[in-house]
Coordinates of all heavy atoms in Angstrom, one line a residue:
A1175 N 105.9 136.5 59.3 CA 104.8 137.5 59.0 C 103.6 136.8 58.6 O 103.6 135.8 57.8 CB 105.3 138.5 57.9
D1176 N 102.4 137.3 59.1 CA 101.1 136.7 58.8 C 100.9 135.3 59.4 O 99.9 134.7 59.0 CB 100.8 136.7 57.3 CG 100.9 138.1 56.7 OD1 100.2 139.0 57.2 OD2 101.7 138.4 55.8
A1177 N 101.8 134.8 60.2 CA 101.6 133.4 60.7 C 100.5 133.4 61.8 O 100.2 134.4 62.4 CB 102.9 133.0 61.4
N1178 N 99.9 132.3 61.9 CA 98.8 132.1 62.9 C 99.4 131.2 64.0 O 99.6 130.0 63.9 CB 97.6 131.4 62.3 CG 96.4 131.4 63.4 OD1 96.6 131.6 64.5 ND2 95.3 131.1 62.9
L1179 N 99.7 131.9 65.2 CA 100.3 131.2 66.3 C 99.4 131.4 67.5 O 99.8 131.5 68.7 CB 101.7 131.6 66.6 CG 102.7 131.3 65.6 CD1 104.0 132.0 65.8 CD2 103.0 129.8 65.6
A1180 N 98.1 131.5 67.3 CA 97.1 131.8 68.4 C 97.2 130.6 69.4 O 97.2 129.5 69.0 CB 95.7 131.9 67.8
G1181 N 97.3 131.0 70.7 CA 97.4 130.0 71.7 C 98.7 129.3 71.9 O 98.9 128.4 72.7
A1182 N 99.7 129.7 71.1 CA 101.0 129.0 71.1 C 101.7 129.3 72.4 O 101.6 130.3 73.0 CB 101.9 129.5 69.9
S1183 N 102.6 128.3 72.8 CA 103.4 128.5 74.0 C 104.8 128.7 73.6 O 105.5 127.8 73.0 CB 103.3 127.3 74.9 OG 104.1 127.5 76.1
L1184 N 105.3 129.9 73.8 CA 106.7 130.3 73.4 C 107.4 130.8 74.7 O 108.2 131.7 74.6 CB 106.6 131.4 72.4 CG 106.0 131.0 71.0 CD1 105.5 132.2 70.3 CD2 107.1 130.4 70.2
V1185 N 107.2 130.1 75.8 CA 107.8 130.5 77.1 C 109.3 130.5 77.0 O 109.9 129.4 76.5 CB 107.3 129.6 78.2 CG1 108.0 129.9 79.5 CG2 105.8 129.8 78.4
G1186 N 110.0 131.6 77.3 CA 111.4 131.6 77.2 C 112.1 131.5 75.9 O 113.3 131.3 75.7
A1187 N 111.3 131.7 74.8 CA 111.8 131.6 73.5 C 112.7 132.8 73.1 O 112.5 133.9 73.6 CB 110.6 131.4 72.5
R1188 N 113.6 132.5 72.2 CA 114.4 133.6 71.6 C 113.9 134.0 70.3 O 113.9 133.3 69.3 CB 115.9 133.1 71.5 CG 116.5 132.8 72.9 CD 118.0 132.5 72.8 NE 118.7 133.6 72.1 CZ 119.8 133.5 71.5 NH1 120.4 132.3 71.4 NH2 120.4 134.6 71.0
L1189 N 113.3 135.3 70.2 CA 112.7 135.8 69.0 C 113.4 137.1 68.5 O 112.8 137.8 67.8 CB 111.2 136.1 69.3 CG 110.4 134.9 69.8 CD1 109.1 135.4 70.3 CD2 110.3 133.8 68.8
E1190 N 114.7 137.2 68.9 CA 115.4 138.5 68.5 C 115.4 138.6 67.0 O 115.6 137.6 66.3 CB 116.9 138.4 69.0 CG 117.0 138.4 70.5 CD 117.4 137.0 70.9 OE1 116.9 136.0 70.4 OE2 118.2 136.9 71.9
R1191 N 115.1 139.8 66.6 CA 115.1 140.2 65.1 C 114.2 139.4 64.3 O 114.3 139.4 63.0 CB 116.5 140.1 64.6 CG 117.5 141.1 65.3 CD 118.9 141.0 64.7 NE 119.5 139.6 64.5 CZ 119.9 138.8 65.4 NH1 119.9 139.2 66.7 NH2 120.4 137.6 65.1
A1192 N 113.2 138.7 64.9 CA 112.2 137.9 64.1 C 111.2 138.9 63.6 O 110.9 140.0 64.1 CB 111.6 136.9 65.0
D1193 N 110.5 138.5 62.5 CA 109.5 139.3 61.9 C 108.1 138.5 62.0 O 107.9 137.5 61.4 CB 109.8 139.5 60.4 CG 108.8 140.4 59.7 OD1 107.7 140.7 60.3 OD2 109.0 140.7 58.5
F1194 N 107.3 139.1 62.9 CA 106.0 138.5 63.2 C 104.9 139.6 62.8 O 103.8 139.7 63.4 CB 105.8 138.1 64.6 CG 106.5 136.8 65.0 CD1 107.8 136.8 65.4 CD2 105.8 135.6 64.9 CE1 108.4 135.6 65.7 CE2 106.4 134.5 65.3 CZ 107.7 134.5 65.7
S1195 N 105.2 140.4 61.8 CA 104.3 141.5 61.3 C 102.9 140.8 61.0 O 102.9 139.8 60.3 CB 104.8 142.2 60.1 OG 106.1 142.8 60.4
R1196 N 101.9 141.4 61.4 CA 100.5 141.0 61.1 C 100.2 139.6 61.6 O 99.2 139.0 61.2 CB 100.2 141.1 59.6 CG 100.3 142.6 59.1 CD 100.3 142.7 57.6 NE 101.2 141.7 56.9 CZ 102.5 141.9 56.7 NH1 103.0 143.0 57.1 NH2 103.2 141.0 56.1
A1197 N 101.1 139.0 62.4 CA 100.8 137.6 62.8 C 99.7 137.6 63.9 O 99.4 138.6 64.5 CB 102.1 137.0 63.4
T1198 N 99.1 136.4 64.0 CA 98.1 136.2 65.1 C 98.7 135.5 66.2 O 99.1 134.3 66.0 CB 96.9 135.5 64.5 OG1 96.3 136.2 63.4 CG2 95.8 135.2 65.6
L1199 N 98.8 136.1 67.4 CA 99.4 135.5 68.6 C 98.4 135.7 69.8 O 98.8 135.7 70.9 CB 100.7 136.2 68.9 CG 101.8 135.8 67.9 CD1 102.7 137.0 67.7 CD2 102.6 134.7 68.4
S1200 N 97.1 135.8 69.5 CA 96.2 136.0 70.6 C 96.2 134.8 71.5 O 96.3 133.6 71.1 CB 94.7 136.2 70.1 OG 94.6 136.1 68.8
N1201 N 96.2 135.1 72.8 CA 96.2 134.0 73.9 C 97.6 133.3 73.9 O 97.7 132.2 74.5 CB 95.1 133.1 73.8 CG 93.7 133.8 74.0 OD1 93.5 134.4 75.0 ND2 92.9 133.7 73.0
A1202 N 98.6 133.7 73.1 CA 99.9 133.1 73.2 C 100.6 133.4 74.5 O 100.4 134.4 75.1 CB 100.7 133.5 72.0
N1203 N 101.4 132.4 74.9 CA 102.2 132.6 76.1 C 103.7 132.9 75.7 O 104.4 131.9 75.3 CB 102.1 131.4 77.0 CG 102.7 131.6 78.4 OD1 103.5 132.6 78.6 ND2 102.4 130.8 79.3
L1204 N 104.1 134.1 75.9 CA 105.5 134.5 75.6 C 106.2 134.9 76.9 O 107.1 135.7 76.9 CB 105.6 135.6 74.6 CG 105.1 135.2 73.2 CD1 103.7 135.8 72.9 CD2 106.1 135.7 72.2
T1205 N 105.9 134.3 78.0 CA 106.5 134.6 79.3 C 108.0 134.5 79.2 O 108.5 133.4 78.8 CB 105.9 133.8 80.5 OG1 104.5 134.0 80.5 CG2 106.6 134.1 81.8

Side-chain angles (χ1 to χ4, degrees):
D1176 301 302
N1178 186 347
L1179 293 167
S1183 184
L1184 294 155
V1185 174
R1188 294 186 59 202
L1189 304 169
E1190 299 103 320
R1191 300 179 315 281
D1193 183 354
F1194 284 87
S1195 300
R1196 300 171 310 279
T1198 300
L1199 291 144
S1200 4
N1201 298 303
N1203 187 349
L1204 292 108
T1205 300

